[in-house]
PDB file of all heavy atoms in Angstrom:
ATOM      1  N   LEU A  51     -47.157 -13.404 -82.899  1.00  0.00           N
ATOM      2  CA  LEU A  51     -45.909 -13.755 -82.228  1.00  0.00           C
ATOM      3  C   LEU A  51     -45.141 -14.723 -83.118  1.00  0.00           C
ATOM      4  O   LEU A  51     -45.698 -15.359 -83.996  1.00  0.00           O
ATOM      5  CB  LEU A  51     -46.166 -14.382 -80.840  1.00  0.00           C
ATOM      6  CG  LEU A  51     -47.040 -15.636 -80.744  1.00  0.00           C
ATOM      7  CD1 LEU A  51     -46.232 -16.891 -81.020  1.00  0.00           C
ATOM      8  CD2 LEU A  51     -47.641 -15.738 -79.348  1.00  0.00           C
ATOM      9  N   HIS A  52     -43.841 -14.796 -82.900  1.00  0.00           N
ATOM     10  CA  HIS A  52     -43.001 -15.722 -83.652  1.00  0.00           C
ATOM     11  C   HIS A  52     -42.918 -17.040 -82.892  1.00  0.00           C
ATOM     12  O   HIS A  52     -42.670 -17.055 -81.680  1.00  0.00           O
ATOM     13  CB  HIS A  52     -41.610 -15.124 -83.857  1.00  0.00           C
ATOM     14  CG  HIS A  52     -41.606 -13.935 -84.760  1.00  0.00           C
ATOM     15  ND1 HIS A  52     -41.742 -14.037 -86.125  1.00  0.00           N
ATOM     16  CD2 HIS A  52     -41.513 -12.611 -84.478  1.00  0.00           C
ATOM     17  CE1 HIS A  52     -41.715 -12.826 -86.660  1.00  0.00           C
ATOM     18  NE2 HIS A  52     -41.579 -11.945 -85.682  1.00  0.00           N
ATOM     19  N   ALA A  53     -43.115 -18.137 -83.596  1.00  0.00           N
ATOM     20  CA  ALA A  53     -43.138 -19.438 -82.939  1.00  0.00           C
ATOM     21  C   ALA A  53     -41.826 -19.739 -82.220  1.00  0.00           C
ATOM     22  O   ALA A  53     -41.806 -20.495 -81.244  1.00  0.00           O
ATOM     23  CB  ALA A  53     -43.424 -20.525 -83.975  1.00  0.00           C
ATOM     24  N   SER A  54     -40.717 -19.120 -82.642  1.00  0.00           N
ATOM     25  CA  SER A  54     -39.420 -19.382 -82.019  1.00  0.00           C
ATOM     26  C   SER A  54     -39.375 -18.937 -80.558  1.00  0.00           C
ATOM     27  O   SER A  54     -38.548 -19.424 -79.776  1.00  0.00           O
ATOM     28  CB  SER A  54     -38.305 -18.684 -82.801  1.00  0.00           C
ATOM     29  OG  SER A  54     -38.542 -17.287 -82.851  1.00  0.00           O
ATOM     30  N   ILE A  55     -40.276 -18.033 -80.180  1.00  0.00           N
ATOM     31  CA  ILE A  55     -40.289 -17.552 -78.789  1.00  0.00           C
ATOM     32  C   ILE A  55     -40.654 -18.665 -77.815  1.00  0.00           C
ATOM     33  O   ILE A  55     -40.348 -18.597 -76.629  1.00  0.00           O
ATOM     34  CB  ILE A  55     -41.266 -16.355 -78.635  1.00  0.00           C
ATOM     35  CG1 ILE A  55     -40.954 -15.570 -77.354  1.00  0.00           C
ATOM     36  CG2 ILE A  55     -42.714 -16.823 -78.628  1.00  0.00           C
ATOM     37  CD1 ILE A  55     -41.761 -14.307 -77.193  1.00  0.00           C
ATOM     38  N   LEU A  56     -41.290 -19.721 -78.336  1.00  0.00           N
ATOM     39  CA  LEU A  56     -41.702 -20.826 -77.466  1.00  0.00           C
ATOM     40  C   LEU A  56     -40.510 -21.544 -76.842  1.00  0.00           C
ATOM     41  O   LEU A  56     -40.646 -22.214 -75.824  1.00  0.00           O
ATOM     42  CB  LEU A  56     -42.553 -21.835 -78.255  1.00  0.00           C
ATOM     43  CG  LEU A  56     -43.857 -21.306 -78.849  1.00  0.00           C
ATOM     44  CD1 LEU A  56     -44.529 -22.390 -79.677  1.00  0.00           C
ATOM     45  CD2 LEU A  56     -44.795 -20.820 -77.747  1.00  0.00           C
ATOM     46  N   GLY A  57     -39.331 -21.410 -77.443  1.00  0.00           N
ATOM     47  CA  GLY A  57     -38.153 -22.113 -76.946  1.00  0.00           C
ATOM     48  C   GLY A  57     -37.331 -21.343 -75.940  1.00  0.00           C
ATOM     49  O   GLY A  57     -36.285 -21.839 -75.505  1.00  0.00           O
ATOM     50  N   VAL A  58     -37.750 -20.150 -75.544  1.00  0.00           N
ATOM     51  CA  VAL A  58     -36.938 -19.326 -74.642  1.00  0.00           C
ATOM     52  C   VAL A  58     -36.832 -19.954 -73.256  1.00  0.00           C
ATOM     53  O   VAL A  58     -35.742 -20.182 -72.736  1.00  0.00           O
ATOM     54  CB  VAL A  58     -37.512 -17.897 -74.560  1.00  0.00           C
ATOM     55  CG1 VAL A  58     -36.760 -17.085 -73.498  1.00  0.00           C
ATOM     56  CG2 VAL A  58     -37.422 -17.217 -75.917  1.00  0.00           C
ATOM     57  N   ILE A  62     -42.341 -18.748 -70.546  1.00  0.00           N
ATOM     58  CA  ILE A  62     -42.732 -18.090 -71.794  1.00  0.00           C
ATOM     59  C   ILE A  62     -43.416 -19.083 -72.725  1.00  0.00           C
ATOM     60  O   ILE A  62     -44.397 -18.756 -73.390  1.00  0.00           O
ATOM     61  CB  ILE A  62     -41.510 -17.447 -72.473  1.00  0.00           C
ATOM     62  CG1 ILE A  62     -41.036 -16.247 -71.649  1.00  0.00           C
ATOM     63  CG2 ILE A  62     -41.842 -17.026 -73.907  1.00  0.00           C
ATOM     64  CD1 ILE A  62     -39.811 -15.559 -72.206  1.00  0.00           C
ATOM     65  N   ALA A  66     -46.993 -18.234 -74.053  1.00  0.00           N
ATOM     66  CA  ALA A  66     -47.089 -17.971 -75.490  1.00  0.00           C
ATOM     67  C   ALA A  66     -47.865 -19.067 -76.213  1.00  0.00           C
ATOM     68  O   ALA A  66     -48.590 -18.789 -77.175  1.00  0.00           O
ATOM     69  CB  ALA A  66     -45.688 -17.847 -76.093  1.00  0.00           C
TER      70      ALA A  66
END
Side-chain angles (χ1 to χ4, degrees):
L51 57 84
H52 292 285
S54 59
I55 199 174
L56 299 176
V58 174
I62 290 178

